[in-house]
Amino acid sequence: MRISVIGCGYLGAVHAACMASLGHQVIGLDVDEAKVASLNSGVPPFYEPGFAELLDEQLAGGRLEFTTDPGRIAQAQIHFIAVGTPQLAGRYAADLSYVRAAVQTLIENVDTSKGPAVIAGKSTVPVGTARHIQDLCDESGNDLIVVWNPEFLREGFAVTDTVHPDRIVYGLPDDQDRAEVGRKLLDECYAELLATGIPRLLTNHPTAELVKVAANSFLATKISFINAMAQLCDATGGDVTQLAEAIGYDDRIGKKFLRAGVGFGGGCLPKDIRAFMARAGELGVDEALTFLREVDAINLRQRDKAVEMASNLLGGRFVGHKVAVLGAAFKPNSDDLRDSPALEVAQQIWSRGADLVITDPAAADALRSKLPNLNVVGTVAEAVAGADVVLLLTEWQEYRDLDPVELRAMVRTPNIIDGRNVLDPQRWLDAGWTYRGMGRLAGPAAARAQV
Ligand SMILES: NC(=O)c1ccc[n+]([C@@H]2O[C@H](COP(=O)([O-])OP(=O)(O)OC[C@H]3O[C@@H](n4cnc5c(N)ncnc54)[C@H](O)[C@@H]3O)[C@@H](O)[C@H]2O)c1
């Protein structure tokens, strides 16, 4: 099939390459010339495991190309919208200006004289957006059928998740004939995936839009729930990692997403729950989602908590102390710094006068250009040299595997804050470190310690 992808960021570029790998002829359209040039030369503009190889392969195969010229998408049968929907400055609501611009581009450029084309919405949007886009297309007289097809990929696993999704959701238009055309075209596009038995759910526009924000709200709630339990553990001498394991055996609860730490971040969960609250307000059902305000607040408190833990270990003063932060990206296997808890903790500590050094295996370059004032170094050894406290804030495997004995020889004062609860406290205690986890015991003495 001929396919276009509008918006070639973390989602769109990967989606475009994956669609090409399914045998389709794909054109990715973006307004960012540098990004398009980079993608066309086989250099991913962001870090995502497996993406560089896939990009190379698909460019070489001749089925994938990127452009800034909207005229090039005219003949595609399916147009995936993958532009950003960030939080509006100073508000909870989503900024839909990029989606509106993408729709305008489609209306002006897609040629439906020989038959209808499908707009498949992948961006995460407030409920009601798809119907509104369908109305705009109808008013334009262009035969464009809007299907909302939310994306559930996880950064760090984007390639695998795109070609092996847990489920595929089509939010179809109310008109039955057009819904049928839309379904058939998307079925053809995803035929190879559907043949493997991946569940495909057919629903209407609002349900499909809600599925995505409901899923993210649930995940955010789960993380904030365990972080709230971590606060209770800190207050009582409990251990949240043991608590999580014990409740996780109940398969109604499950073990996933129950790791206490500095909380969630990134370009999705925080802004999605806020946009969901804003939309509920517009719809007059804000009370239904007031709990998300608390989910957000608990999450943000975890960042402050990590800062206070560091401060306490340094006797309440950052000035004159060297602080090493391991990890800047919002999660491992990504270079995405959007709303990153690690970065916010680092910035807070820096702004309170610490001699702060930060490192990250993938996000260092992005970090240097985003925050040139921060002292960004390339290795753990450089970061921790002479440090008074080390904070592990993004759980990269290489940080999980750190040897406490080796590291002990490099720091000035052996204080470690395990902001993701991924280290074995006993190993670090045995090597002479003062260990602090999030709601987690570290030996009988630490259990009684005030953090
Ligand atoms: N990143 C994820 O893991 C993920 C997962 C699921 C859903 N989503 C959703 O997907 C959407 C995109 O997210 P992202 O992380 O890829 O964002 P991103 O900022 O990385 O990418 C957006 C891209 O759209 C381009 N763009 C903006 N306006 C355009 C226009 N008018 N025409 C063409 N291109 C345009 C930008 O230049 C940018 O390259 C968001 O709604 C997000 O919530 C993201």
Side-chain angles (χ1 to χ4, degrees):
M1 294 181 90
R2 293 167 75 105
I3 285 172
S4 89
V5 179
I6 322 295
C8 299
Y10 284 92
L11 190 169
V14 172
H15 193 72
C18 288
M19 291 302 104
S21 77
L22 298 179
H24 303 305
Q25 193 66 39
V26 183
I27 184 110
L29 175 72
D30 204 291
V31 290
D32 183 334
E33 283 180 13
K35 194 174 278 187
V36 165
S38 170
L39 286 164
N40 273 331
S41 61
V43 179
F46 51 83
Y47 176 79
E48 181 61 46
F51 178 56
E53 296 79 359
L54 181 70
L55 180 65
D56 245 6
E57 199 178 286
Q58 297 309 319
L59 289 170
R63 282 195 302 270
L64 178 65
E65 206 188 329
F66 297 89
T67 183
T68 54
D69 175 7
R72 300 279 313 280
I73 64 167
Q75 302 305 327
Q77 299 152 279
I78 299 180
H79 304 269
F80 287 98
I81 295 186
V83 296
T85 49
Q87 193 175 338
L88 274 172
R91 297 189 34 203
Y92 268 21
D95 179 354
L96 289 178
S97 59
Y98 306 101
V99 173
R100 280 196 289 272
V103 171
Q104 197 53 38
T105 300
L106 289 165
I107 287 174
E108 286 169 12
N109 290 282
V110 178
D111 176 6
T112 56
S113 59
K114 296 195 192 80
V118 164
I119 294 181
K122 288 237 151 262
S123 300
T124 304
V125 292
V127 57
T129 306
R131 276 191 178 151
H132 178 60
I133 295 174
Q134 184 66 70
D135 289 345
L136 291 175
C137 294
D138 294 350
E139 283 162 23
S140 76
N142 223 337
D143 196 0
L144 289 162
I145 297 168
V146 178
V147 179
W148 220 258
N149 176 219
E151 179 57 58
F152 304 100
L153 70 82
R154 299 160 298 166
E155 281 177 30
F157 303 92
V159 173
T160 318
D161 285 353
T162 303
V163 286
H164 301 289
D166 296 331
R167 70 292 205 193
I168 298 177
V169 176
Y170 301 169
L172 298 165
D174 296 330
D175 179 294
Q176 288 305 305
D177 295 339
R178 302 175 98 191
E180 191 51 16
V181 176
R183 180 194 64 75
K184 277 195 180 138
L185 279 168
L186 273 183
D187 275 357
E188 198 182 331
C189 174
Y190 291 134
E192 194 177 319
L193 310 188
L194 295 172
T196 65
I198 291 166
R200 183 208 58 180
L201 292 96
L202 303 182
T203 183
N204 61 9
H205 282 157
T207 310
E209 293 164 319
L210 284 168
V211 164
K212 175 64 191 172
V213 281
N216 275 359
S217 298
F218 192 83
L219 294 173
T221 303
K222 217 171 168 190
I223 297 171
S224 280
F225 173 81
I226 202 65
N227 279 332
M229 294 306 110
Q231 288 175 27
L232 267 294
C233 286
D234 274 339
T236 56
D239 184 318
V240 76
T241 56
Q242 292 167 9
L243 181 150
E245 188 185 356
I247 64 172
Y249 278 113
D250 181 336
D251 61 15
R252 293 170 304 176
I253 296 173
K255 286 189 181 173
K256 289 187 178 165
F257 261 53
L258 280 184
R259 190 189 292 283
V262 287
F264 58 81
C268 289
L269 256 54
K271 61 102 175 154
D272 286 351
I273 62 169
R274 291 172 198 151
F276 199 15
M277 284 186 268
R279 186 64 183 133
E282 289 166 7
L283 295 165
V285 288
D286 41 329
E287 280 178 11
L289 297 187
T290 41
F291 74 97
L292 287 178
R293 216 172 265 279
E294 199 48 45
V295 167
D296 199 10
I298 293 168
N299 190 55
L300 295 177
R301 274 205 297 277
Q302 292 302 102
R303 303 176 184 190
D304 298 340
K305 177 152 180 75
V307 176
E308 286 319 307
M309 286 164 79
S311 169
N312 290 345
L313 285 170
L314 298 174
R317 275 182 76 241
F318 282 113
V319 175
H321 287 116
K322 180 172 174 190
V323 177
V325 170
L326 307 184
F330 87 95
K331 67 186 297 195
N333 301 314
S334 174
D335 64 352
D336 196 343
L337 295 169
R338 290 177 289 186
D339 207 343
S340 166
L343 193 50
E344 190 182 328
V345 170
Q347 281 180 289
Q348 279 195 41
I349 292 175
W350 178 76
S351 67
R352 285 171 61 173
D355 170 9
L356 184 121
V357 186
I358 184 166
T359 187
D360 188 283
D365 287 343
L367 191 52
R368 283 189 192 101
S369 53
K370 189 180 163 100
L371 294 165
N373 287 335
L374 281 188
N375 186 2
V376 184
V377 296
T379 62
V380 170
E382 288 169 275
V384 303
D388 297 298
V389 59
V390 178
L391 292 97
L392 192 168
L393 298 179
T394 310
E395 67 275 34
W396 286 91
Q397 191 61 45
E398 62 187 86
Y399 299 161
R400 290 168 171 243
D401 295 341
L402 283 170
D403 181 344
V405 176
E406 271 177 32
L407 223 64
R408 171 78 182 81
M410 301 178 194
V411 297
R412 181 158 60 192
T413 323
N415 287 316
I416 176 92
I417 294 177
D418 180 6
R420 295 293 182 179
N421 283 354
V422 288
L423 302 176
D424 174 355
Q426 201 54 53
R427 277 188 73 213
W428 289 74
L429 292 170
D430 290 349
W433 290 77
T434 300
Y435 172 96
R436 294 282 184 272
M438 307 294 283
R440 190 179 196 192
L441 301 181
R448 287 190 295 276
Q450 293 285 314
V451 264

